[in-house]
Amino acid sequence: MESRHDSENAERILYNMRPKELVEVIKKAYLQGEVEFEDSDDDDDGDGKEDEDGEDHAASPRNVGHNIYILAHQLARHNKELQHMLKPGGQNGEGDEALEFYAKHTAQIEVADLLCDFRIRPNTEICILMYFPHPRHPYKTQSCSCTLEPRLSALLWVAMFVSLAIVIVLPQPHGIRALIASTILRLIFSVGLEPTLFLLGAFNVCNKVIFLMSFVGNRGTFTRGYLAMILDVEFLYHLLYLIICSLGVFVHVFFYSLLLFDLVYREETLLNVIKSVTRNGRSIVLTAVLALILVYLFSIVGYIFFKDDFILEVDRIPNKTLGKEQLAGSVLLSQLGHGCSEPLFAARVIYDLLFFFMVIIIVLNLIFGVIIDTFADLRSEKQKKEEVLKTTCFICGLERDKFDNKTVTFEEHIKVEHNMWHYLCFIVLVKVKDSTEYTGPESYVAEMIKELNLDWFPRMRAMSLVSSDAEGEQNEIRNLQEKLESTMKLVCNLSGQLTELKDQVCSGRPPLKLNIEQLRGHTCNSSENNKKRNA
């Protein structure tokens, strides 16, 4: 079936296999695998790994049924009956569990103009975290501790156990957050604030160490040399975060307050606020230098012409311990202050207005304008990125309008045909699967991944669009052929009638009546010729 777009092979396979029997085999294999899986639970050795005869063995009935399902899914593209049977509820609702299970754990991607169906492994999400660690890491800060009334303490215990039960029964992010919050509050009121801070700080340090080791291992920071480590800003940020956590645990808890700046690193909007200052830093620094020069020039003019205006009146401190020299100095200052006059009043007004206009209004507004314009540009770039993600396929780059008036909508395209999570699952599958069991597309993709080549992604093309266009052209050709055949039959019929009419005229028999309306609709003769023939 690989590397073929036509239905020839599918028809040959379906000629020897009945769709109904194929679906029945899939369901029976699933049920048989379920029974074997229940039996294998009694033989589990508890080592956290699956035995040789376990669920993930290549020859287990359920996996064989999954491979047959993938084959049936490929054949269903060319057979509507099989396509209907593979849908849950399509055959009296029997065996829907097997079809739903296989459909849920089967994904499809497009590789080099080929559609590749593959099985999503049950532990793909552990694998994804192993190869692609998430950069998030929790931090907690507390400020005070106090005692609780017995009712509130019991309520807190109940909240902690209820959240624990919710996490066990239905693990969701909100339930995990509620469990963490209730556990932290319970620790604060049970063992105190300082021990709780120490426990949280130690956990944060261990978490950051593990994350940093995973980050360095995946990025290959150590293998690239020390210069690459120093120039890697993200590595330096996480290293600084680890140092601050360690200082908070072993030096003083006030160092935890510096971790609040991690919010800027996590939130893109706040990060753009910082970038609005740093992106055009050279312009801002040069503008600030201009402001400094202007202030310096104004200070020189003020010192030369208006130095008496800046002498302030100082009251004498009523202290008997002052010496004679200090008392004389204070009296002199007070006399100078009282003796200050303002002969250059108009010049002083102009001086103040120029300083206010040039420094306060122009220079500061220049700096603020650069910052605001940069922030607006960053915000528009963010909006463009979001718009591109909403209206463009992440895999092939085709826009939403390319799927207008097509058999496949844009939503179906990004959800089924070019689902980016399916591509991620396929990459993980290629990494963890034995190379001797690779299929054709898997071998090709594995080689491209080793070479860091992305040519296996379908860029600016989709097979659904090509097939829909080809089907439209084939339908038009088919319609034209049908019209041509009907026209040829009509011409043959008219030729026979004309021959018979000619024979009747020659033999002297009365002529047969011809269908004038038929002649008018399917010939190109003029109305005058039609009248002559009718006569």
Side-chain angles (χ1 to χ4, degrees):
M1 296 292 293
E2 294 179 1
S3 304
R4 295 296 295 267
H5 300 285
D6 53 8
S7 60
E8 181 180 355
N9 284 340
E11 292 175 355
R12 293 174 60 186
I13 294 174
L14 290 173
Y15 180 77
N16 298 316
M17 294 182 180
R18 297 179 181 179
K20 185 176 180 181
E21 296 177 354
L22 195 62
V23 175
E24 291 296 332
V25 170
I26 294 172
K27 295 178 181 179
K28 290 180 181 179
Y30 175 81
L31 295 177
Q32 185 179 357
E34 188 175 12
V35 173
E36 290 193 2
F37 178 72
E38 292 176 357
D39 295 338
S40 64
D41 290 342
D42 300 332
D43 300 331
D44 191 6
D45 54 2
D47 58 355
K49 299 180 180 179
E50 295 175 314
D51 298 333
E52 293 182 357
D53 298 331
E55 175 68 15
D56 200 39
H57 195 270
S60 65
R62 182 169 292 184
N63 288 340
V64 173
H66 204 151
N67 293 333
I68 300 175
Y69 176 83
I70 292 176
L71 174 61
H73 188 267
Q74 294 176 352
L75 295 175
R77 300 170 190 159
H78 309 282
N79 189 285
K80 293 184 178 180
E81 181 183 0
L82 182 58
Q83 185 178 4
H84 178 70
M85 289 182 178
L86 289 178
K87 293 181 179 179
Q91 195 175 3
N92 300 326
E94 298 179 357
D96 287 349
E97 182 182 358
L99 296 178
E100 290 177 356
F101 175 82
Y102 289 139
K104 181 180 179 181
H105 293 84
T106 303
Q108 181 186 90
I109 64 172
E110 183 179 333
V111 179
D113 295 334
L114 296 176
L115 289 179
C116 178
D117 296 327
F118 65 96
R119 178 171 66 96
I120 299 178
R121 301 173 65 91
N123 57 348
T124 298
E125 296 180 358
I126 299 173
C127 291
I128 291 178
L129 292 177
M130 183 188 303
Y131 287 100
F132 308 97
H134 202 279
R136 294 187 178 179
H137 41 278
Y139 68 87
K140 300 292 181 183
T141 56
Q142 302 293 335
S143 57
C144 63
S145 62
C146 59
T147 58
L148 280 178
E149 296 181 358
R151 295 180 180 178
L152 296 178
S153 179
L155 182 62
L156 191 57
W157 279 109
V158 171
M160 186 176 68
F161 285 113
V162 168
S163 59
L164 178 61
I166 293 175
V167 170
I168 294 175
V169 176
L170 187 65
Q172 295 292 336
H174 297 292
I176 296 175
R177 294 190 188 101
L179 177 61
I180 293 175
S182 58
T183 304
I184 291 174
L185 291 176
R186 186 65 269 172
L187 286 174
I188 290 174
F189 294 114
S190 297
V191 300
L193 180 60
E194 292 185 1
T196 303
L197 283 176
F198 180 80
L199 291 175
L200 291 177
F203 172 77
N204 204 9
V205 169
C206 295
N207 180 37
K208 200 61 184 179
V209 169
I210 295 173
F211 171 81
L212 200 58
M213 292 174 63
S214 176
F215 176 83
V216 169
N218 290 326
R219 295 284 291 268
T221 306
F222 288 153
T223 59
R224 293 183 296 173
Y226 293 100
L227 182 61
M229 294 173 55
I230 297 174
L231 298 179
D232 193 345
V233 179
E234 193 171 0
F235 169 75
L236 294 178
Y237 170 79
H238 292 298
L239 182 62
L240 179 62
Y241 191 102
L242 178 60
I243 293 173
I244 294 175
C245 292
S246 303
L247 291 175
V249 174
F250 301 106
V251 179
H252 201 280
V253 294
F254 284 161
F255 283 100
Y256 288 135
S257 60
L258 297 176
L259 299 180
L260 294 175
F261 286 105
D262 186 54
L263 182 63
V264 179
Y265 178 77
R266 295 170 180 266
E267 185 60 36
E268 186 178 0
T269 303
L270 296 179
L271 197 61
N272 288 337
V273 173
I274 304 300
K275 288 182 179 179
S276 63
V277 180
T278 58
R279 172 174 287 191
N280 291 329
R282 185 172 182 275
S283 300
I284 295 175
V285 170
L286 293 177
T287 308
V289 170
L290 176 61
L292 185 62
I293 294 173
L294 291 175
V295 170
Y296 177 70
L297 294 177
F298 273 97
S299 62
I300 291 177
V301 174
Y303 178 77
I304 294 176
F305 298 100
F306 308 108
K307 61 181 179 180
D308 294 337
D309 295 345
F310 295 100
I311 298 177
L312 301 179
E313 182 179 355
V314 180
D315 296 333
R316 185 170 61 88
I317 300 176
N319 192 348
K320 297 181 181 180
T321 59
L322 288 175
K324 294 183 180 180
E325 296 179 358
Q326 294 177 351
L327 183 60
S330 62
V331 172
L332 178 61
L333 287 176
S334 62
Q335 290 178 355
L336 290 174
H338 287 293
C340 179
S341 60
E342 206 166 300
L344 301 176
F345 178 77
R348 175 62 189 273
V349 170
I350 296 173
Y351 173 83
D352 291 341
L353 290 177
L354 286 176
F355 182 83
F356 178 80
F357 182 76
M358 296 181 65
V359 178
I360 305 299
I361 295 180
I362 296 180
V363 178
L364 291 183
N365 283 333
L366 286 175
I367 297 175
F368 295 154
V370 171
I371 296 174
I372 293 172
D373 291 341
T374 306
F375 182 75
D377 294 338
L378 292 173
R379 184 174 57 186
S380 62
E381 290 178 2
K382 180 183 177 182
Q383 291 176 354
K384 289 180 181 178
K385 291 179 182 178
E386 295 176 353
E387 186 68 20
V388 167
L389 291 177
K390 290 180 181 179
T391 60
T392 305
C393 178
F394 182 79
I395 300 299
C396 63
L398 292 175
E399 298 180 353
R400 181 184 293 269
D401 56 357
K402 301 295 183 181
F403 296 87
D404 294 342
N405 301 324
K406 300 295 182 180
T407 57
V408 178
T409 62
F410 180 75
E411 285 74 17
E412 294 176 351
H413 173 72
I414 62 176
K415 185 178 180 181
V416 179
E417 296 179 345
H418 287 178
N419 191 321
M420 60 180 179
W421 300 113
H422 289 176
Y423 278 80
L424 180 59
C425 293
F426 187 76
I427 293 174
V428 175
L429 174 68
V430 171
K431 287 182 176 291
V432 300
K433 190 175 181 180
D434 189 2
S435 60
T436 59
E437 298 181 359
Y438 281 163
T439 61
E442 290 172 355
S443 302
Y444 172 71
V445 172
E447 188 66 25
M448 299 295 279
I449 291 176
K450 289 182 181 179
E451 298 176 358
L452 300 178
N453 193 341
L454 299 179
D455 291 340
W456 62 279
F457 279 90
R459 299 304 303 167
M460 303 306 296
R461 64 181 185 273
M463 294 183 63
S464 59
L465 297 181
V466 177
S467 61
S468 62
D469 294 339
E471 289 177 359
E473 293 178 357
Q474 290 179 359
N475 292 332
E476 292 180 359
I477 294 173
R478 192 178 298 110
N479 293 332
L480 291 175
Q481 289 177 350
E482 291 176 356
K483 292 180 180 180
L484 182 60
E485 290 176 357
S486 62
T487 304
M488 292 296 293
K489 290 180 181 179
L490 182 59
V491 170
C492 292
N493 189 14
L494 292 176
S495 299
Q497 292 182 3
L498 289 175
T499 303
E500 186 177 358
L501 178 61
K502 180 179 180 180
D503 295 339
Q504 291 175 359
V505 171
C506 294
S507 61
R509 289 181 295 174
L512 295 176
K513 294 182 179 179
L514 295 178
N515 192 344
I516 303 304
E517 297 295 332
Q518 193 174 13
L519 289 173
R520 290 178 178 175
H522 297 280
T523 61
C524 299
N525 295 328
S526 62
S527 60
E528 295 180 357
N529 294 330
N530 288 331
K531 290 180 181 180
K532 292 179 180 179
R533 289 179 182 178
N534 191 14

